[in-house]
Amino acid sequence: MAKPKKIIVTGGLGYIGSHTVVELQQRGYEVVIADNLSNSSASVADRIGRITGETPVLEVLDLSDRTACLRFFNIHADAGAVIHFAAAKAVNESVHKPLHYYRNNIDALLYVLEGMEAVGCRKLVFSSSCTVYGQPERLPVTEDTPRLEAMSPYGNTKRICEDILSDTVKASQEWKFLALRYFNPIGAHESALIGELPNGVPANLMPYITQSVAGLRPALQVFGHDYPTPDGTPVRDYIHVSDLAEAHVAAMEYLGKPGFSGMDFFNVGTGRGYSVLEVIQSFERATGKKVNYEIKERRQGDITQIWADTSKASRLLGWKACRDLDQMTSSAWKWQENLARAK
Ligand code: WQD
């Protein structure tokens, strides 16, 4: 199949979206970003341009605004596929603002699908999350592991969006969808020009570590040391954001393969779990920096451990994560140092 000329990336200025745009452009795709700047800035498009030599087209709009979304798709009616990242994604915030999360995350997907249908674009890669599994009974998690009750409204929007997509393909086989269930993305592009830039105090482990070591935050609080894990701290399948970005390109190209129709799901992790203390040890080893931390109570909603069985993505997408934990932690620190220089 000839490469589709234009790929729409919604939320393409965000952490995972921006890294995916870089990988798409470096493989010869023309990219149009749709982003509402709610959790990113337009300068990210310029930084992407500095990496790839081509600044992606940026359309600033809120995809949960139906009129704006349909107008956007009419302008880009020649798009060959959509990679849909645009969503609010702060787990803790979703607990306090459930209506915003349901409205924003579900309306955006519904209007994107309506826009795609209007212009005959039928291929979509959906940004899902391992959070749909809750605390699995058996590890590693396969794509057939039952989805459990979501631990947050954020997680529930991911589950609902997966169901919207699977019901849509049941009604019409013209659609082709892939849902990528991410594990824990960390790290930054090797150029240190793009990376994670959470609003406010980071809820996630890696950006908190880098901001704390940079002297921007107090010492790291390790939420719980009494879990039934080898060192008592929770285990997650951390994956380099560039590996995750490459998985999106492989998934988008898989959608174009003859014979694929309907919907499929892929776990996107490394297949290996690391504890919080192991991440800290990796960071110190890879950067030579000391991480000051205090052991605190468990954080509500945290699961004990999860890591992926990634054999399906390897078999069908021909994709496998190739960056190790030290590359993840050292790239996160390089990005933090570059941020400090850019201030
Ligand atoms: C990782 C570990 C914390 C901060 C979340 C979302 C998930 C996905 C990835 C979107 C846990 C511990 C953290 C801190 C700590 N996002 N921790 N001190 O919760 O596994 O997953 O982000 O799809 O949906 O749920 O990631 O980085 O918040 O936590 O001890 O200051 O680090 O307890 O064990 P999490 P995280």
Side-chain angles (χ1 to χ4, degrees):
M1 180 201 109
K3 275 186 177 175
K5 185 76 187 86
K6 182 189 279 184
I7 307 298
I8 289 173
V9 180
T10 73
L13 294 179
Y15 175 40
I16 304 164
S18 56
H19 285 80
T20 301
V21 170
V22 164
E23 300 303 332
L24 284 167
Q25 285 191 321
Q26 289 182 335
R27 285 163 180 76
Y29 291 99
E30 178 195 349
V31 175
V32 172
I33 294 174
D35 201 297
N36 68 358
L37 305 184
S38 64
N39 195 16
S40 55
S41 84
S43 65
V44 173
D46 301 329
R47 290 165 172 258
I48 291 171
R50 284 171 57 192
I51 296 169
T52 64
E54 184 184 348
T55 302
V57 171
L58 169 61
E59 304 266 11
V60 179
L61 75 146
D62 191 334
L63 293 163
S64 62
D65 171 340
R66 179 173 179 269
T67 307
C69 184
L70 297 182
R71 184 186 313 119
F72 166 78
F73 274 94
N74 274 315
I75 294 167
H76 298 288
D78 55 338
V82 173
I83 303 181
H84 183 53
F85 292 102
K89 61 141 197 151
V91 173
N92 209 25
E93 182 188 52
S94 77
V95 173
H96 304 291
K97 297 181 181 173
L99 293 181
H100 168 67
Y101 270 71
Y102 287 112
R103 169 70 60 207
N104 184 71
N105 291 4
I106 296 169
D107 281 4
L109 177 64
L110 290 172
Y111 295 145
V112 163
L113 290 171
E114 189 177 345
M116 289 175 70
E117 190 164 40
V119 299
C121 176
R122 299 288 186 169
K123 298 185 188 76
L124 179 135
V125 176
F126 175 65
S127 162
S128 191
S129 168
C130 64
T131 202
V132 301
Y133 296 118
Q135 174 57 72
E137 291 196 355
R138 292 178 51 213
L139 291 169
V141 177
T142 71
E143 289 80 358
D144 300 323
T145 298
R147 295 181 307 171
L148 295 181
E149 191 61 34
M151 312 282 274
S152 67
Y154 160 77
N156 212 21
T157 65
K158 289 300 179 185
R159 180 191 172 108
I160 292 167
C161 287
E162 285 191 355
D163 292 346
I164 289 169
L165 295 173
S166 54
D167 287 345
T168 301
V169 293
K170 282 177 198 152
S172 161
Q173 283 295 318
E174 287 172 21
W175 294 97
K176 300 177 180 217
F177 298 137
L178 292 186
L180 303 189
R181 292 170 175 167
Y182 310 158
F183 284 70
N184 286 56
I186 61 171
H189 188 264
E190 60 189 3
S191 65
L193 287 172
I194 54 175
E196 195 166 8
L197 208 49
N199 286 332
V201 179
N204 295 138
L205 178 65
M206 199 70 252
Y208 194 95
I209 287 177
T210 59
Q211 290 188 17
S212 168
V213 171
L216 303 173
R217 302 283 172 206
L220 170 70
Q221 299 183 60
V222 172
F223 298 135
H225 197 211
D226 59 349
Y227 284 90
T229 60
D231 65 18
T233 62
V235 173
R236 296 289 185 274
D237 184 332
Y238 296 96
I239 177 171
H240 195 292
V241 65
S242 292
D243 277 330
L244 181 57
E246 289 169 4
H248 284 80
V249 180
M252 196 265 304
E253 291 177 345
Y254 180 75
L255 282 175
K257 285 219 163 68
F260 176 77
S261 67
M263 180 170 184
D264 212 346
F265 304 82
F266 289 97
N267 286 340
V268 185
T270 64
R272 162 97 195 254
Y274 288 101
S275 73
V276 173
L277 292 182
E278 285 177 312
V279 172
I280 292 169
Q281 287 147 20
S282 162
F283 184 91
E284 293 183 334
R285 180 173 59 239
T287 64
K289 297 287 183 184
K290 178 95 184 76
V291 178
N292 295 318
Y293 65 87
E294 303 153 2
I295 303 290
K296 295 290 184 182
E297 289 306 302
R298 295 183 177 192
R299 178 172 68 176
Q300 195 196 353
D302 277 346
I303 61 171
T304 299
Q305 54 188 353
I306 189 168
W307 62 88
D309 175 325
T310 59
S311 54
K312 183 177 175 186
S314 174
R315 187 174 71 255
L316 296 182
L317 302 183
W319 168 89
K320 192 157 177 53
C322 61
R323 295 164 177 91
D324 65 24
L325 186 63
D326 285 11
Q327 286 173 284
M328 298 179 214
T329 54
S330 57
S331 65
W333 178 242
K334 236 181 101 187
W335 159 245
Q336 184 68 52
E337 285 187 310
N338 200 30
L339 270 179
R341 278 195 291 272
K343 282 235 182 313

